[in-house]
Amino acid sequence: MPDADLKTRVLAASPFVAGVFRRQADWADAAWSNGEFERSLASVAERLTAALDGIRDEAALIRALRVFRNRELARIAVRDIGGQAGLDETLGDLSALADAAIDAAMAFVAAGLQARHGQPREADSTLAKPFVLGMGKLGGRELNFSSDIDLIFGYTANGETDGARGLSNEEYFAKLARDTSRLLATPTEDGFVFRVDTLLRPFGSVGPLAASTSAMEDYYQTHGREWERYAMVKARACAGDRAAGQALLDHLRPFVYRRYLDYGAINSLRDLKGLIDRDAQAKGAADNLKLGPGGIREVEFIVQLFQLTRGGQDSRLRDARLRPVLRYIGNSGLLPADTAQALDDAYVRLRRAENAVQLHGDLQTHSLPTDAATCAAFAAALGAVDYEAALAPIRAAREFVRAEFERLFAETPTPAATPAFSAGANEAWDAEAESEAALKARGYGEGTALVAKALADLRLSRQMRTLSDAAQGRLRSLLPLLLDEAAGQPDPATAAVRALEVIAAILGRSPYLILLRDSAVARAQLVRLCAASPWLTALLARTPALLDALLDPQLAAETPTRAQLHEELGTRFERLAADDVEAQMELLRRYRQEMTLRIAACDLSGSLPLVQVSDRLSWLAEAILERTVAAARAQLADAHGEPKNADGSAAAFAILGYGKFGSIELGYGSDLDLVFVFDCDQPDAQTTGTKPISNAQFFARLGQRIVHYLATHTPAGRAYEVDLQLRPSGNSGMVVSGLSSFARYQRDSAWTWEHQAFLRARTVVGDPALCEAIAALRREVLMRVREVETLRREVVDMRGKMRASLEKRSAGKWDVKQAEGGLIDAEFLTQFLVLRDAHAQASLVEYTDNWRQLEALADAHRISLDQKDALLRATRAYRGWLHRRALQQADGLADQADFAGERAAVAALWRELVLGDVM
């Protein structure tokens, strides 16, 4: 039986709920009598699905959604007023209702769109899927009784629908967003479901209603503003493909949370709150529970202060829900525990009061009541004897919140060292006529004019004209520190000019300006890396997110191990939806860039010798390739089923790395030379899925998808350039070879130069049994007995052809790689000797790199120790020099006098060991 006193209180507190009871009397009577208001029910999504079952007509759906919504609000109100639900349950139930309503409306609209236009598909024919980000209170699962829902509609990738009346995915998902919003927000005689606000989307009212994942990532990286960063703290994937929405939020995490202590957020939040206060005062909002002094917004700002300044370093602050974060702030000592508890108590009191004013008439209001009737209803909703009794604890809560807000957001000077160079740098910035003198006085010497010009170009750039006064102020405070740091480099002008290239690229990204201004470690790392390499300068300018890594004081001292590279990439991949190709491709590119920067920093600091740099770059490529193969194969298997052998076992796949990848000698900009091989005893049989294809076709598509993953240009660039020319029959051959045909080609058809390439090949990813089979084939082919004179002639002929087509010539210079006595001569010499003698010594083909092959030749007494040492000395010198030139984005031409001894030694050994009696 119903609690008569509670029912009386509910009716007094909310004319809106009373109206629902009156219009839906049968449901209300049943709910009171069966105790529906006293216990938890099945999930709102399940109950809404049941309520909409069988509805195909839009008008019927619109009415059913509103009837259900009104019942649910009445149910939640009764439990809230009666104290049967705490604040978290009340707000959580309201948020779950919104989630379910969005999903239901979107599913209905999608069914109609697909009947007319077909299903939206990505470029590779996989289904493109929608997702919805709930922002603000919906994102935090803190929705109040009559709140707008702030939504951002997105979808996984561009493409087009597959129906007869096709649409681009952009058009399809825009219609989906528009009609979903209309179904929820259009007022009828039954009211509305939720008012929908989509203005938080990229580019606001002028932007598309729905945007692809890649477009959103590009927007926030390129155009994202501070207030959008704060808004994203509360973002949550609330409807549609939630995994895709969460993957996007994971990608946006560096935009929202800085890895450094972001004290710039304090000023930005203070400025934003000032704007809100001025607007509230203009509207007479002193009694506004949300925006007035000591209101809900100030509690939210206090929590966001800790989230934005420290969330990049502490993952426990990265929660869209306010109360769990506030509890952690107290438990961790960021605030005194009793202060955090008092703020939480105040927040609960304010949110319950906000609900009380809104459930009165289902109106979006935050102001305390003024007339007698609404004051009495307010008191009834809160269980107080009268309005003054209800108001007293609210006043106390607001006073406490206001005092704590003012304490935390009080103006304090930002601690910063006073640079010796401030005056000179500001002169250089403000007065072109005096800039060169100011810079020369600080030690820029002959490069003064270059630095002065770079400063002038920056000052007059188009980006500068778009900067706010605050952003220009940050830049002015950073420049003296940056130029002072550069002045301490061996070549200060080069360091300064390159560092200013990075600054020009991040002018619109205030958080990075703040990072470099406030972190001496990051600033020093930036200048040092820029001074060392224009290649690294370009990488940092092209990928500003890498600047966060400069905060790590161990950046130039520690690099991940092989196992750590695989483990870290795997962990990041687990956060993404299995079918989100776009997000996975972006992750691969970002990961390569981040790890490459770490390796380069250690390389330039001298903590990694060249061979270990190549090791780590090769391990990084292996980790990326392994993850690519796993993702691509899983997606194909999901669409077509797995390829099987006749005995039911899984068909195998492997990738060989050739060239520098095969010999574990990758450089920073190296391509990947790859060959794909599969092993299946029934290549023409069908795969096991609902859309079967032949096993051979499965692996052909797998190879194509791997190349797509790695080589497609995205906003983050490419993961790697991929070269497949070393596959059997080169560009005219199949992208993927069966093991038997690959073996047959190597045994019967491959040219000598292809066996030379096979010497530097190894399996880098693949099923262990297939990898061992390929290794056995490699040993068999390379250890065959060869006719020495034929081998000699073919090696010499190929070397001559390469030199004729590839050697670069310039007066007074020589090509360290291709000229006589250069690096390729040393490699060809080694390959000739190994192919000549491997039939008698298996150890000669055990390794794929030139270094250990020379060691094996010496151990087998095929060359003398002096010959080995001369070749190794030349190879190391050449590779080290070419490596440094690559970092400087310089060509491979050295002065004629450079490496004279090494060049003469290699040329002499070529004549002695290769040409022999051919001379």
Side-chain angles (χ1 to χ4, degrees), residues 248-273:
L248 171 64
L249 294 177
D250 288 343
H251 274 113
L252 296 181
R253 186 174 297 145
F255 167 69
V256 182
Y257 297 106
R258 308 301 181 218
R259 289 175 60 182
Y260 53 92
L261 292 177
D262 186 9
Y263 291 111
I266 300 176
N267 290 329
S268 297
L269 282 171
R270 187 188 294 120
D271 293 344
L272 182 58
K273 184 59 171 63

mmCIF file of all heavy atoms in Angstrom, residues 248-273:
data_model
loop_
_atom_site.group_PDB
_atom_site.id
_atom_site.type_symbol
_atom_site.label_atom_id
_atom_site.label_comp_id
_atom_site.label_asym_id
_atom_site.label_seq_id
_atom_site.Cartn_x
_atom_site.Cartn_y
_atom_site.Cartn_z
ATOM 1 N N LEU A 248 37.806 7.418 -29.332
ATOM 2 C CA LEU A 248 38.061 8.821 -29.663
ATOM 3 C C LEU A 248 38.494 9.584 -28.424
ATOM 4 O O LEU A 248 39.469 10.352 -28.452
ATOM 5 C CB LEU A 248 36.808 9.461 -30.268
ATOM 6 C CG LEU A 248 36.865 10.984 -30.453
ATOM 7 C CD1 LEU A 248 37.941 11.364 -31.465
ATOM 8 C CD2 LEU A 248 35.517 11.525 -30.884
ATOM 9 N N LEU A 249 37.784 9.390 -27.321
ATOM 10 C CA LEU A 249 38.146 10.102 -26.087
ATOM 11 C C LEU A 249 39.547 9.714 -25.626
ATOM 12 O O LEU A 249 40.287 10.558 -25.117
ATOM 13 C CB LEU A 249 37.118 9.801 -24.993
ATOM 14 C CG LEU A 249 35.702 10.336 -25.260
ATOM 15 C CD1 LEU A 249 34.753 9.908 -24.145
ATOM 16 C CD2 LEU A 249 35.716 11.860 -25.376
ATOM 17 N N ASP A 250 39.915 8.446 -25.808
ATOM 18 C CA ASP A 250 41.279 8.033 -25.454
ATOM 19 C C ASP A 250 42.298 8.784 -26.297
ATOM 20 O O ASP A 250 43.351 9.210 -25.800
ATOM 21 C CB ASP A 250 41.443 6.526 -25.661
ATOM 22 C CG ASP A 250 40.696 5.703 -24.621
ATOM 23 O OD1 ASP A 250 40.332 6.265 -23.575
ATOM 24 O OD2 ASP A 250 40.457 4.506 -24.874
ATOM 25 N N HIS A 251 41.984 8.970 -27.583
ATOM 26 C CA HIS A 251 42.904 9.692 -28.454
ATOM 27 C C HIS A 251 42.994 11.167 -28.073
ATOM 28 O O HIS A 251 44.032 11.807 -28.286
ATOM 29 C CB HIS A 251 42.454 9.577 -29.914
ATOM 30 C CG HIS A 251 42.959 8.345 -30.580
ATOM 31 N ND1 HIS A 251 42.150 7.331 -30.984
ATOM 32 C CD2 HIS A 251 44.206 7.946 -30.898
ATOM 33 C CE1 HIS A 251 42.870 6.367 -31.519
ATOM 34 N NE2 HIS A 251 44.121 6.712 -31.481
ATOM 35 N N LEU A 252 41.899 11.706 -27.546
ATOM 36 C CA LEU A 252 41.877 13.123 -27.199
ATOM 37 C C LEU A 252 42.457 13.396 -25.814
ATOM 38 O O LEU A 252 42.545 14.548 -25.407
ATOM 39 C CB LEU A 252 40.440 13.660 -27.263
ATOM 40 C CG LEU A 252 39.782 13.644 -28.647
ATOM 41 C CD1 LEU A 252 38.380 14.236 -28.561
ATOM 42 C CD2 LEU A 252 40.615 14.403 -29.662
ATOM 43 N N ARG A 253 42.834 12.338 -25.108
ATOM 44 C CA ARG A 253 43.315 12.536 -23.737
ATOM 45 C C ARG A 253 44.482 13.528 -23.658
ATOM 46 O O ARG A 253 44.501 14.379 -22.762
ATOM 47 C CB ARG A 253 43.712 11.191 -23.118
ATOM 48 C CG ARG A 253 44.092 11.294 -21.642
ATOM 49 C CD ARG A 253 44.339 9.921 -21.056
ATOM 50 N NE ARG A 253 43.147 9.121 -21.103
ATOM 51 C CZ ARG A 253 43.138 7.809 -21.321
ATOM 52 N NH1 ARG A 253 44.269 7.166 -21.550
ATOM 53 N NH2 ARG A 253 42.000 7.137 -21.338
ATOM 54 N N PRO A 254 45.468 13.461 -24.589
ATOM 55 C CA PRO A 254 46.551 14.460 -24.483
ATOM 56 C C PRO A 254 46.071 15.894 -24.674
ATOM 57 O O PRO A 254 46.707 16.821 -24.184
ATOM 58 C CB PRO A 254 47.516 14.047 -25.605
ATOM 59 C CG PRO A 254 47.214 12.602 -25.856
ATOM 60 C CD PRO A 254 45.750 12.462 -25.638
ATOM 61 N N PHE A 255 44.992 16.094 -25.425
ATOM 62 C CA PHE A 255 44.418 17.432 -25.570
ATOM 63 C C PHE A 255 43.805 17.910 -24.258
ATOM 64 O O PHE A 255 43.923 19.079 -23.896
ATOM 65 C CB PHE A 255 43.351 17.406 -26.669
ATOM 66 C CG PHE A 255 42.469 18.643 -26.707
ATOM 67 C CD1 PHE A 255 42.982 19.864 -27.093
ATOM 68 C CD2 PHE A 255 41.131 18.563 -26.356
ATOM 69 C CE1 PHE A 255 42.175 20.996 -27.130
ATOM 70 C CE2 PHE A 255 40.315 19.676 -26.387
ATOM 71 C CZ PHE A 255 40.842 20.898 -26.768
ATOM 72 N N VAL A 256 43.174 17.008 -23.525
ATOM 73 C CA VAL A 256 42.473 17.384 -22.289
ATOM 74 C C VAL A 256 43.431 17.455 -21.111
ATOM 75 O O VAL A 256 43.416 18.412 -20.337
ATOM 76 C CB VAL A 256 41.347 16.372 -21.997
ATOM 77 C CG1 VAL A 256 40.580 16.768 -20.734
ATOM 78 C CG2 VAL A 256 40.397 16.270 -23.174
ATOM 79 N N TYR A 257 44.269 16.437 -20.982
ATOM 80 C CA TYR A 257 45.129 16.318 -19.804
ATOM 81 C C TYR A 257 46.592 16.431 -20.216
ATOM 82 O O TYR A 257 47.091 15.635 -21.006
ATOM 83 C CB TYR A 257 44.906 14.974 -19.114
ATOM 84 C CG TYR A 257 43.503 14.794 -18.581
ATOM 85 C CD1 TYR A 257 42.595 13.957 -19.220
ATOM 86 C CD2 TYR A 257 43.093 15.469 -17.431
ATOM 87 C CE1 TYR A 257 41.312 13.788 -18.727
ATOM 88 C CE2 TYR A 257 41.808 15.310 -16.942
ATOM 89 C CZ TYR A 257 40.929 14.473 -17.589
ATOM 90 O OH TYR A 257 39.660 14.312 -17.102
ATOM 91 N N ARG A 258 47.279 17.403 -19.655
ATOM 92 C CA ARG A 258 48.690 17.594 -19.941
ATOM 93 C C ARG A 258 49.521 16.708 -19.014
ATOM 94 O O ARG A 258 49.170 16.514 -17.860
ATOM 95 C CB ARG A 258 49.111 19.056 -19.717
ATOM 96 C CG ARG A 258 48.230 20.047 -20.458
ATOM 97 C CD ARG A 258 48.245 19.810 -21.950
ATOM 98 N NE ARG A 258 47.424 20.779 -22.653
ATOM 99 C CZ ARG A 258 46.691 20.494 -23.694
ATOM 100 N NH1 ARG A 258 46.679 19.278 -24.191
ATOM 101 N NH2 ARG A 258 45.958 21.424 -24.283
ATOM 102 N N ARG A 259 50.629 16.241 -19.534
ATOM 103 C CA ARG A 259 51.485 15.386 -18.717
ATOM 104 C C ARG A 259 52.249 16.181 -17.664
ATOM 105 O O ARG A 259 52.854 15.612 -16.772
ATOM 106 C CB ARG A 259 52.468 14.622 -19.608
ATOM 107 C CG ARG A 259 51.776 13.545 -20.429
ATOM 108 C CD ARG A 259 52.727 12.887 -21.388
ATOM 109 N NE ARG A 259 53.833 12.245 -20.688
ATOM 110 C CZ ARG A 259 54.834 11.636 -21.299
ATOM 111 N NH1 ARG A 259 54.867 11.612 -22.610
ATOM 112 N NH2 ARG A 259 55.797 11.065 -20.614
ATOM 113 N N TYR A 260 52.236 17.479 -17.780
ATOM 114 C CA TYR A 260 52.912 18.315 -16.801
ATOM 115 C C TYR A 260 51.879 18.924 -15.865
ATOM 116 O O TYR A 260 50.673 18.832 -16.090
ATOM 117 C CB TYR A 260 53.706 19.427 -17.497
ATOM 118 C CG TYR A 260 52.876 20.235 -18.478
ATOM 119 C CD1 TYR A 260 52.232 21.393 -18.084
ATOM 120 C CD2 TYR A 260 52.739 19.831 -19.801
ATOM 121 C CE1 TYR A 260 51.473 22.140 -18.969
ATOM 122 C CE2 TYR A 260 51.982 20.561 -20.699
ATOM 123 C CZ TYR A 260 51.352 21.715 -20.277
ATOM 124 O OH TYR A 260 50.591 22.441 -21.148
ATOM 125 N N LEU A 261 52.366 19.551 -14.786
ATOM 126 C CA LEU A 261 51.479 20.269 -13.868
ATOM 127 C C LEU A 261 51.056 21.550 -14.560
ATOM 128 O O LEU A 261 51.806 22.511 -14.639
ATOM 129 C CB LEU A 261 52.207 20.561 -12.548
ATOM 130 C CG LEU A 261 52.536 19.333 -11.697
ATOM 131 C CD1 LEU A 261 53.314 19.735 -10.456
ATOM 132 C CD2 LEU A 261 51.270 18.594 -11.298
ATOM 133 N N ASP A 262 49.845 21.560 -15.060
ATOM 134 C CA ASP A 262 49.379 22.618 -15.954
ATOM 135 C C ASP A 262 48.789 23.781 -15.153
ATOM 136 O O ASP A 262 47.572 23.938 -15.080
ATOM 137 C CB ASP A 262 48.351 22.039 -16.919
ATOM 138 C CG ASP A 262 47.925 23.050 -17.978
ATOM 139 O OD1 ASP A 262 48.549 24.121 -18.044
ATOM 140 O OD2 ASP A 262 46.977 22.760 -18.717
ATOM 141 N N TYR A 263 49.674 24.593 -14.577
ATOM 142 C CA TYR A 263 49.178 25.704 -13.778
ATOM 143 C C TYR A 263 48.517 26.782 -14.627
ATOM 144 O O TYR A 263 47.799 27.627 -14.106
ATOM 145 C CB TYR A 263 50.327 26.303 -12.956
ATOM 146 C CG TYR A 263 50.794 25.354 -11.878
ATOM 147 C CD1 TYR A 263 52.048 24.758 -11.957
ATOM 148 C CD2 TYR A 263 49.974 25.021 -10.817
ATOM 149 C CE1 TYR A 263 52.474 23.871 -10.987
ATOM 150 C CE2 TYR A 263 50.394 24.134 -9.842
ATOM 151 C CZ TYR A 263 51.656 23.568 -9.924
ATOM 152 O OH TYR A 263 52.065 22.678 -8.973
ATOM 153 N N GLY A 264 48.745 26.738 -15.935
ATOM 154 C CA GLY A 264 48.036 27.678 -16.789
ATOM 155 C C GLY A 264 46.536 27.472 -16.737
ATOM 156 O O GLY A 264 45.763 28.396 -16.998
ATOM 157 N N ALA A 265 46.106 26.268 -16.383
ATOM 158 C CA ALA A 265 44.667 25.997 -16.289
ATOM 159 C C ALA A 265 44.017 26.823 -15.193
ATOM 160 O O ALA A 265 42.830 27.150 -15.274
ATOM 161 C CB ALA A 265 44.432 24.508 -16.025
ATOM 162 N N ILE A 266 44.773 27.163 -14.151
ATOM 163 C CA ILE A 266 44.184 27.946 -13.059
ATOM 164 C C ILE A 266 43.741 29.303 -13.585
ATOM 165 O O ILE A 266 42.608 29.739 -13.341
ATOM 166 C CB ILE A 266 45.208 28.118 -11.910
ATOM 167 C CG1 ILE A 266 45.617 26.742 -11.373
ATOM 168 C CG2 ILE A 266 44.620 28.984 -10.808
ATOM 169 C CD1 ILE A 266 46.701 26.811 -10.310
ATOM 170 N N ASN A 267 44.633 29.973 -14.307
ATOM 171 C CA ASN A 267 44.271 31.286 -14.851
ATOM 172 C C ASN A 267 43.122 31.178 -15.835
ATOM 173 O O ASN A 267 42.214 32.013 -15.836
ATOM 174 C CB ASN A 267 45.487 31.920 -15.531
ATOM 175 C CG ASN A 267 46.551 32.330 -14.534
ATOM 176 O OD1 ASN A 267 46.238 32.686 -13.406
ATOM 177 N ND2 ASN A 267 47.803 32.261 -14.939
ATOM 178 N N SER A 268 43.153 30.145 -16.674
ATOM 179 C CA SER A 268 42.086 30.000 -17.661
ATOM 180 C C SER A 268 40.749 29.734 -16.992
ATOM 181 O O SER A 268 39.719 30.306 -17.377
ATOM 182 C CB SER A 268 42.432 28.861 -18.628
ATOM 183 O OG SER A 268 43.604 29.159 -19.342
ATOM 184 N N LEU A 269 40.735 28.884 -15.980
ATOM 185 C CA LEU A 269 39.491 28.618 -15.256
ATOM 186 C C LEU A 269 39.014 29.862 -14.525
ATOM 187 O O LEU A 269 37.817 30.154 -14.464
ATOM 188 C CB LEU A 269 39.694 27.469 -14.261
ATOM 189 C CG LEU A 269 39.702 26.057 -14.848
ATOM 190 C CD1 LEU A 269 40.126 25.055 -13.785
ATOM 191 C CD2 LEU A 269 38.337 25.680 -15.385
ATOM 192 N N ARG A 270 39.982 30.595 -13.980
ATOM 193 C CA ARG A 270 39.620 31.834 -13.280
ATOM 194 C C ARG A 270 38.978 32.815 -14.255
ATOM 195 O O ARG A 270 37.948 33.442 -13.954
ATOM 196 C CB ARG A 270 40.865 32.443 -12.636
ATOM 197 C CG ARG A 270 40.575 33.652 -11.745
ATOM 198 C CD ARG A 270 41.869 34.324 -11.301
ATOM 199 N NE ARG A 270 42.632 33.464 -10.429
ATOM 200 C CZ ARG A 270 43.863 33.037 -10.678
ATOM 201 N NH1 ARG A 270 44.451 33.375 -11.825
ATOM 202 N NH2 ARG A 270 44.503 32.284 -9.817
ATOM 203 N N ASP A 271 39.578 32.935 -15.446
ATOM 204 C CA ASP A 271 39.015 33.844 -16.453
ATOM 205 C C ASP A 271 37.623 33.398 -16.879
ATOM 206 O O ASP A 271 36.710 34.213 -17.029
ATOM 207 C CB ASP A 271 39.935 33.896 -17.676
ATOM 208 C CG ASP A 271 41.276 34.553 -17.370
ATOM 209 O OD1 ASP A 271 41.371 35.232 -16.323
ATOM 210 O OD2 ASP A 271 42.209 34.371 -18.173
ATOM 211 N N LEU A 272 37.462 32.089 -17.088
ATOM 212 C CA LEU A 272 36.167 31.573 -17.506
ATOM 213 C C LEU A 272 35.118 31.802 -16.431
ATOM 214 O O LEU A 272 33.990 32.211 -16.723
ATOM 215 C CB LEU A 272 36.292 30.081 -17.827
ATOM 216 C CG LEU A 272 35.025 29.375 -18.334
ATOM 217 C CD1 LEU A 272 34.504 30.047 -19.600
ATOM 218 C CD2 LEU A 272 35.319 27.903 -18.601
ATOM 219 N N LYS A 273 35.493 31.576 -15.183
ATOM 220 C CA LYS A 273 34.544 31.798 -14.093
ATOM 221 C C LYS A 273 34.195 33.273 -13.988
ATOM 222 O O LYS A 273 33.041 33.641 -13.681
ATOM 223 C CB LYS A 273 35.118 31.302 -12.762
ATOM 224 C CG LYS A 273 34.137 31.412 -11.574
ATOM 225 C CD LYS A 273 32.874 30.613 -11.843
ATOM 226 C CE LYS A 273 31.985 30.506 -10.607
ATOM 227 N NZ LYS A 273 31.468 31.742 -10.113
#
